[in-house]
Amino acid sequence: MSSRPTTSQMIFLGVTEFLSKKMEVHNSKLNCVSNPKTAFTGTLPVEITPTRYIKGLVKNFETSPGVVVVMLVYIERLLEKMELQYRQVGGLDPILFTSFNAHRIILTSFLVAQKYSEDKNYRLSSIARAGGIDKDELIFLENEFLDFMDFNLHIREDEFNKYVESSIVFSRHL
């Protein structure tokens, strides 16, 4: 007899698999679209899936499902804001979430979501090490992230609930 996944497990699965699928789809567009370089773009693609990457972060930092949802909201907002700014300077192609930038975006969004949502905060050096970058780069990325977000980190309750519900629904279709 198999046990049913908990709501927390469904949220985690929904968020991480959504981001993995998004990266996979966007990676397939790299040959057709000129993805602009941003502060979050690495020189080489990262081979680890977003699911595995986030799983490591969650395990190392005892993260609640709420933080994972907030992280997803921030990632979606960041991509939207970056694309808006890119279009304002004449860019035509969309900002893609690829293996060149996904992990830095995930790590930075995770850091900010953790700081904003939890009473328990961790050392930047610990989060940077777990994310595979150095502390100074993470500080730079956090500042870039906050600038793109205009320091607006608030999430309305209805928006948060919509993301929770979408994550659960997405996980049921896997």
Side-chain angles (χ1 to χ4, degrees):
M1 177 164 56
S2 66
S3 63
R4 300 190 66 184
T6 65
T7 301
S8 294
Q9 290 168 331
M10 291 174 75
I11 290 169
F12 175 79
L13 181 64
V15 169
T16 58
E17 287 300 316
F18 171 78
L19 290 172
S20 288
K21 296 278 187 229
K22 182 178 193 115
M23 187 181 84
E24 185 180 308
V25 167
H26 285 198
N27 277 343
S28 70
K29 295 179 181 180
L30 281 174
N31 293 334
C32 310
V33 174
S34 173
N35 200 30
K37 302 271 188 260
T38 69
F40 299 95
T41 306
T43 55
L44 296 171
V46 177
E47 297 298 322
I48 187 172
T49 66
T51 299
R52 221 168 125 217
Y53 190 72
I54 296 168
K55 188 176 193 175
L57 293 172
V58 167
K59 183 180 177 187
N60 278 314
F61 301 105
E62 303 169 358
T63 305
S64 71
V67 170
V68 175
V69 172
V70 170
M71 178 192 73
L72 177 60
V73 173
Y74 288 169
I75 289 169
E76 293 291 296
R77 283 184 185 175
L78 176 67
L79 293 170
E80 185 179 300
K81 297 251 184 187
M82 287 192 320
E83 188 162 316
L84 180 64
Q85 280 191 12
Y86 182 57
R87 295 211 186 278
Q88 288 174 346
V89 296
L92 301 174
D93 291 325
I95 300 287
L96 300 176
F97 183 75
T98 70
S99 54
F100 286 92
N101 64 12
H103 299 81
R104 284 177 176 78
I105 291 172
I106 289 168
L107 182 63
T108 308
S109 299
F110 174 84
L111 168 68
V112 175
Q114 181 82 18
K115 283 182 170 184
Y116 189 77
S117 305
E118 299 281 321
D119 289 333
K120 185 178 182 182
N121 287 308
Y122 297 92
R123 296 173 58 100
L124 279 174
S125 57
S126 298
I127 293 175
R129 186 172 38 257
I133 64 174
D134 64 56
K135 179 181 154 190
D136 291 338
E137 183 176 3
L138 184 56
I139 291 169
F140 172 76
L141 292 175
E142 180 183 19
N143 288 326
E144 287 290 310
F145 177 90
L146 292 170
D147 282 344
F148 271 113
M149 302 294 275
D150 297 321
F151 290 83
N152 179 11
L153 302 177
H154 177 72
I155 299 171
R156 292 182 331 276
E157 185 177 351
D158 62 318
E159 181 182 19
F160 179 84
N161 290 337
K162 182 184 92 174
Y163 274 85
V164 168
E165 289 170 26
S166 296
S167 299
I168 291 170
V169 169
F170 191 81
S171 73
R172 287 186 179 138
H173 294 293
L174 297 173

